Amino acid sequence: RAKASRRGGVCFFSSELDDEASERRMLEGDLREAIEGGEIEVAYQPVVSSVTGQVTSFEALARWTHPQRGPISPARFIGIAEESGMIGLLGTGLLLRACRAAAAWPSDIKVAVNLSPLQFESSGLVKTVKAALALSGLPPQRLQLEVTEGLLIRNVDHTFAILTELRNLGVQILLDDFGVGFSSLSYFERFPFDKVKIDQSFVAKIATSPAARAIIQAVVGLGRTLNMGVVAEGVETPEQMQALVELGCTHLQGFLFSEPQAESAFRHILRPDRDEAGVIASL
Ligand code: C2E
Ligand code: MG
Ligand code: MG
Ligand code: MG
């Protein structure tokens, strides 16, 4: 866009829009090919227990490297997939891949998969999750599904009914990015989430904003009363980690521990039996 507006020193608003729209159409076409060709990869990011320091789960995060443009952020391509009706196919493929990977991990390590609100709108989500579990052999107890409040602002009754069916399968339901947007405390009255993930914006401000600290503290209190784990996302520094542990967050996730990486980067944790001399591995 910056390029378009510099052209001849004059900004032609309509041509900017054209550029934007044609770039999007191109990405959409390429994304369709990438999805159908199985080219969307999964990166994994560890989540650690604040009590033991051990990895308890990995979050699966979608990755797309465009052949000409390099890596495209999931915020962008998940959005395109949602708007062009491809999120069902993409989401199902990612879920199956993540379940298959996790089925080969040590049995005390779970996998977390993000769901788009739109995956709740087609009727097949529960069937899809059942199929992924059956095909992969992953026990339901080892699958966590992350949902955001975006899901909960429309068609609430339908959504909670599906979440209940999913939870009855034995999978855990996590509320992601809590505290931004239109988060409502009433969600916790409507549904027994297994964990809540505090949005990374609060973690980033923990040293400078007494309000951010107080909000984290309040969510931790809620978590204790409701028997719900509290995960802090976006932990980047030892100082943040210490403050979050003191506040009582049960789990931590962030670049301090590891960036999301290919599964093979975590071989030492995920396939300890294949390591020399059976070294006990942790991060
Ligand atoms: P999310 O589910 O909240 O995922 C956490 C995001 O925070 C990831 O960004 C991760 O790379 C990033 N992150 C983790 N630790 C840190 C940290 O210490 N500092 C900073 N600055 N960032 C950190 P990513 O991979 O770019 O994904 C962005 C969002 O895209 C995700 O947010 C999720 O909403 C969506 N997404 C990613 N993969 C999928 C997927 O397979 N399906 C769906 N529906 N959405 C996905
Ligand atoms: Mg997530
Ligand atoms: Mg999040
Ligand atoms: Mg997020």
Side-chain angles (χ1 to χ4, degrees), residues 45 59 62-63 74 94 114 116 176-177 200 233-234 236 254-255 260:
Q45 188 181 34
E59 179 173 2
R63 293 289 179 264
L94 290 166
N114 293 281
S116 157
D176 201 358
D177 301 345
Q200 52 194 48
E233 293 192 285
E236 293 184 352
F255 295 169

Side-chain angles (χ1 to χ4, degrees), residues 225-242:
T225 307
L226 299 177
N227 196 19
M228 176 177 66
V230 177
V231 188
E233 293 192 285
V235 185
E236 293 184 352
T237 70
E239 292 75 25
Q240 289 170 347
M241 174 181 76
Q242 197 187 334

Side-chain angles (χ1 to χ4, degrees), residues 23-36:
E23 161 162 325
R24 199 182 169 84
R25 259 197 311 278
M26 190 211 69
L27 276 182
E28 188 185 313
D30 293 348
L31 180 60
R32 190 175 301 277
E33 281 177 28
I35 293 171
E36 285 166 359

